[in-house]
Amino acid sequence: MSDQIYHAPMVRRAAPNFRVIAMIVASAMLMENVDATVLATALPTMARDFGVDAPAMSIALTSYLLSLAIFIPASGRVADSFGSRTVFRSAIAVFVAGSILCAFAPTLPFLVLARLLQGIGGAMMMPVGRLVLMRSVDRKDMVSAMSWLLVPALIGPIVGPPLGGFIVTYLDWRWIFYINVPIGIIGMIFVSIYIDEVKGKAAGPFDTIGFILSGISLGSMLFGFELSSHEGQGSFAIFLIAIGLLFGIAYLRHARKHPSPIMDFSLMKVPSFGTSVIAGSLTRITQGAQPFLLPLLFQIGFGLSAAAAGQIVISTALGALFMKPLAKAVFRRVGFRRSLIINGILGTIGYGLCAAFRPDWPMPLIFIALVLSAFFMSFQFTAYNTIAYDEISQERMSSATSFYTTFQQLMLSLGICIGALALHASMAFNDVETPELGDFSAAFIVVAIISISATIWNLRFSPTAGEEISGYKAKHKKGAAAGS
């Protein structure tokens, strides 16, 4: 396939359309994020309808994670073969079909199978949606477009619980899945109108063995990380994580010999991509721990109701929204490297400040602190998500998006695991059965230390990294010319 197929969309599409494309992709991801968090709220009610214990319903969540882990690595190859528009539109259709089956589920096993189908759609929506954006947006608009993609990730976990509570209280839990249908149909129509069909070059035979090895590895680790936050599941979680690591090692040995591995670790040799993956992973561990620790702190440590805790946590969504219009101007003025270093430190201070929260603090002060913390971290992820693709060629873009999304999902789940382990370790050290304020402080300090360690990698970015995207160097040259 000629190189023209990679660059045609970049030439043809007018710059203002990047907002439409970004919103289409963001809306699909928001549907997926809200669906997962809404479901968690409804599990007790669903358990009564199915005649099972509430803990047994957790399989409805983990089955979805299992699908994600297995199919995300294959998403780039599928998009190259069938076209990014076709795959993205089909992913939405599969997700909607899975939602309909979930709504009609008469038994728990039926629901689990429907959630597995939903997960296949979700696994393709996340990386292929990002790929669609990468291939459809001019480089000068990448920062603004990428900032939109953070909104679903940050708003979904915030909007989900209260929406789930409303649906369970006033409607039927099946409406959790029905609401995805009109959103998905509208999304497919807009994808057909606004998004171009772009295929990639064939890179060799499909890596079937790698697909199996990576699926078992990632599925076991994600399942294990998820279970680690559940009481009494520690031993099984450790077993699953160990299985995941063993199959991960087996995959790495296999990938060295395969001409086109399902997950291309040679991408880590690309400076901006490899550094962004490592630094971003360290920061995402902390980002994954915060939504787990904060509600527990406010409900157990402060004694607030779930509703009151949810109202405070909304601050994180506000911080992300405030960041969106400012990112591009900051990158243009100071560049990516300096922004990542300074902002990373400020964001970590915001995380660390959570360790000092106490019930006698004024609630407006806590709210403002969380808004600022979310502001800095949202900015940081916009930078990582954008600079990662600065040196990636169009030919490798599909592999890069699936690789990056896999690590993104893995690290967010690992964050829950580390947050839970730090909390339980502090409880064991203090010999208490219920976490106290000091235990939450210890957990927040642990994840803040992990976040600050990303600074070491941020320092490794080139001072000129992302200059074409940000316009930083161009502005510097213009000023120098004027002064000469």
Side-chain angles (χ1 to χ4, degrees):
M1 194 171 291
S2 67
D3 287 341
Q4 184 180 3
I5 196 166
Y6 288 103
H7 300 291
M10 304 289 286
V11 174
R12 186 179 68 80
R13 190 166 296 285
N17 284 338
F18 85 88
R19 294 180 179 85
V20 176
I21 297 169
M23 285 300 295
I24 292 170
V25 176
S27 297
M29 292 183 178
L30 180 63
M31 175 176 67
E32 181 181 3
N33 277 276
V34 170
D35 180 89
T37 51
V38 167
L39 183 62
T41 308
L43 289 183
T45 303
M46 296 169 70
R48 287 196 298 270
D49 281 7
F50 290 141
V52 299
D53 294 332
M57 290 300 302
S58 65
I59 193 172
L61 299 176
T62 50
S63 58
Y64 184 85
L65 285 177
L66 191 62
S67 253
L68 289 184
I70 293 171
F71 291 101
I72 283 178
S75 59
R77 185 60 184 268
V78 173
D80 278 346
S81 299
F82 298 99
S84 50
R85 179 179 64 189
T86 297
V87 174
F88 188 51
R89 184 172 52 199
S90 300
I92 298 174
V94 170
F95 188 86
V96 169
S99 298
I100 294 171
L101 290 175
C102 287
F104 284 104
T107 62
L108 179 56
F110 190 99
L111 178 69
V112 169
L113 292 175
R115 288 287 287 170
L116 287 169
L117 180 63
Q118 248 194 328
I120 296 174
M124 296 293 161
M125 273 202 294
M126 285 193 290
V128 177
R130 181 175 289 167
L131 177 61
V132 163
L133 200 59
M134 292 290 98
R135 286 177 168 173
S136 304
V137 176
D138 291 336
R139 291 178 67 82
K140 64 184 178 65
D141 294 321
M142 279 178 62
V143 173
S144 299
M146 272 298 187
S147 66
W148 282 102
L149 293 190
L150 285 178
V151 176
L154 292 162
I155 291 183
I158 308 304
V159 172
L163 179 60
F166 175 85
I167 290 174
V168 169
T169 303
Y170 299 103
L171 300 171
D172 184 272
W173 63 263
R174 298 178 190 277
W175 280 96
I176 292 171
F177 302 105
Y178 287 139
I179 59 177
N180 292 333
V181 177
I183 297 173
I185 291 173
I186 293 171
M188 286 186 283
I189 293 171
F190 275 81
V191 168
S192 302
I193 295 172
Y194 289 104
I195 292 177
D196 292 315
E197 183 75 284
V198 183
K199 295 182 180 180
K201 292 181 179 179
F206 184 77
D207 183 12
T208 305
I209 295 176
F211 177 71
I212 295 170
L213 291 174
S214 68
I216 295 174
S217 174
L218 293 168
S220 297
M221 283 194 285
L222 276 172
F223 208 160
F225 293 153
E226 170 68 16
L227 286 180
S228 68
S229 62
H230 295 272
E231 192 71 30
Q233 299 289 338
S235 298
F236 188 45
I238 292 172
F239 171 75
L240 286 174
I241 293 170
I243 292 293
L245 291 173
L246 286 173
F247 275 88
I249 293 170
Y251 171 78
L252 290 175
R253 292 173 63 87
H254 161 80
R256 293 194 192 103
K257 303 174 184 177
H258 198 278
S260 55
I262 196 79
M263 288 184 65
D264 186 3
F265 276 85
S266 68
L267 287 163
M268 294 295 289
K269 297 178 182 178
V270 179
S272 61
F273 185 85
T275 307
S276 180
V277 168
I278 295 172
S281 293
L282 292 169
T283 310
R284 281 189 181 88
I285 288 173
T286 311
Q287 179 71 14
Q290 194 185 40
F292 169 74
L293 291 173
L294 276 179
L296 290 178
L297 170 65
F298 292 135
Q299 293 179 60
I300 299 175
F302 284 29
L304 300 177
S305 67
Q311 290 174 1
I312 297 173
V313 178
I314 287 175
S315 57
T316 57
L318 294 177
L321 292 174
F322 290 152
M323 176 284 309
K324 190 172 63 61
L326 300 176
K328 189 172 183 179
V330 174
F331 293 140
R332 185 185 297 117
R333 184 167 183 83
V334 300
F336 274 93
R337 181 178 182 270
R338 199 184 308 174
S339 297
L340 283 164
I341 294 169
I342 296 173
N343 186 78
I345 294 171
L346 292 173
T348 300
I349 291 172
Y351 274 134
L353 187 60
C354 295
F357 287 169
R358 291 296 181 267
D360 58 354
W361 278 43
M363 280 300 166
L365 182 60
I366 292 177
F367 192 89
I368 292 170
L370 290 175
V371 168
L372 291 175
S373 173
F375 175 92
F376 291 125
M377 277 302 146
S378 179
F379 182 98
Q380 197 76 348
F381 290 129
T382 296
Y384 284 136
N385 290 350
T386 307
I387 195 64
Y389 304 98
D390 181 46
E391 299 173 294
I392 299 293
S393 65
Q394 287 291 333
E395 290 83 355
R396 305 186 76 185
M397 192 66 76
S398 57
S399 296
T401 52
S402 58
F403 187 99
Y404 197 87
T405 306
T406 299
F407 269 83
Q408 184 177 26
Q409 187 68 35
L410 189 64
M411 291 303 114
L412 289 172
S413 297
L414 179 59
I416 297 174
C417 176
I418 291 177
L421 287 175
L423 188 63
H424 291 147
S426 179
M427 290 166 59
F429 180 80
N430 294 319
D431 195 22
V432 294
E433 294 185 0
T434 303
E436 298 177 350
L437 290 171
D439 301 316
F440 286 107
S441 296
F444 278 114
I445 290 171
V446 167
V447 296
I449 290 172
I450 294 173
S451 182
I452 198 67
S453 67
T455 306
I456 298 170
W457 295 95
N458 291 334
L459 288 165
R460 299 189 181 188
F461 280 105
S462 167
T464 59
E467 59 186 15
E468 185 181 348
I469 300 171
S470 65
Y472 172 61
K473 185 177 180 181
K475 182 177 179 180
H476 176 73
K477 284 182 174 181
K478 183 178 179 180
S484 62

